[in-house]
Amino acid sequence: MKENKVGCCKECGKDEALEQILDVYKQDKDNLIQILNDVQEHYGYIPKHAQMAISEYLKIPMAEIYGVITFYSRFTLKPKGKYHIAVCLGTACYVKGSGKIMDRLEQRLGIKQGETSEDGKFSIEATRCVGACGLAPVFTVNGEVYGKATVQKLDKILDELK
């Protein structure tokens, strides 16, 4: 049997990693958020096959699971890029120029907020606060904070990542 990188058996459709996540929790609807969080941590997003398995396991409709996923900005239905870049557009950052940083990022990568580049290398997200207002404006790359950001600083980081 051949397995892909997330422990799914391609021939039988069995996903051992997902089964292990579900086994941690009782079949109680109240566990939905925790299960979604674990799935998001494992895959980097919440794939459709996982939504279907959760629906069956917790005996709740797919529509309800989809509603929860799309309500919370923490969850995503699309895989993020190898380099996930988040620009803070909260008040402190925005008044210090984070809008220009976001515009430049979209221009350089040719994608918009919430998208991933075709090669899977970059994804962009807008966030409201990363708790570094004293360093405004800020952006993060895979969780690493870059403060006192400028368009030039962004360009330098992108050049290093490419």
Side-chain angles (χ1 to χ4, degrees), residues 93-128:
C93 286
Y94 194 80
V95 298
K96 292 200 172 188
S98 65
K100 292 176 185 171
I101 293 168
M102 178 62 84
D103 291 344
R104 178 64 174 167
L105 184 58
E106 291 178 340
Q107 176 194 22
R108 280 280 311 262
L109 299 179
I111 57 175
K112 300 281 183 197
Q113 295 175 40
E115 295 180 346
T116 301
S117 60
E118 286 186 28
D119 63 4
K121 196 166 185 180
F122 294 97
S123 57
I124 302 174
E125 173 185 27
T127 187
R128 291 293 171 237

Side-chain angles (χ1 to χ4, degrees), residues 52-155:
M52 292 169 34
I54 294 166
S55 173
E56 185 177 312
Y57 185 74
L58 296 179
K59 296 175 180 42
I60 57 178
M62 283 280 291
E64 188 172 335
I65 292 169
Y66 179 81
V68 171
I69 293 168
T70 57
F71 178 79
Y72 292 102
S73 62
R74 157 88 178 101
F75 301 129
T76 181
L77 295 166
K78 298 177 189 174
K80 293 182 179 176
K82 177 180 179 183
Y83 299 109
H84 180 67
I85 304 172
V87 179
C88 180
L89 296 178
T91 304
C93 286
Y94 194 80
V95 298
K96 292 200 172 188
S98 65
K100 292 176 185 171
I101 293 168
M102 178 62 84
D103 291 344
R104 178 64 174 167
L105 184 58
E106 291 178 340
Q107 176 194 22
R108 280 280 311 262
L109 299 179
I111 57 175
K112 300 281 183 197
Q113 295 175 40
E115 295 180 346
T116 301
S117 60
E118 286 186 28
D119 63 4
K121 196 166 185 180
F122 294 97
S123 57
I124 302 174
E125 173 185 27
T127 187
R128 291 293 171 237
C129 187
V130 297
C133 300
L135 299 174
V138 300
F139 66 90
T140 64
V141 179
N142 295 345
E144 184 177 343
V145 177
Y146 294 87
K148 307 270 187 210
T150 62
V151 170
Q152 293 78 16
K153 188 174 196 174
L154 172 70
D155 282 341

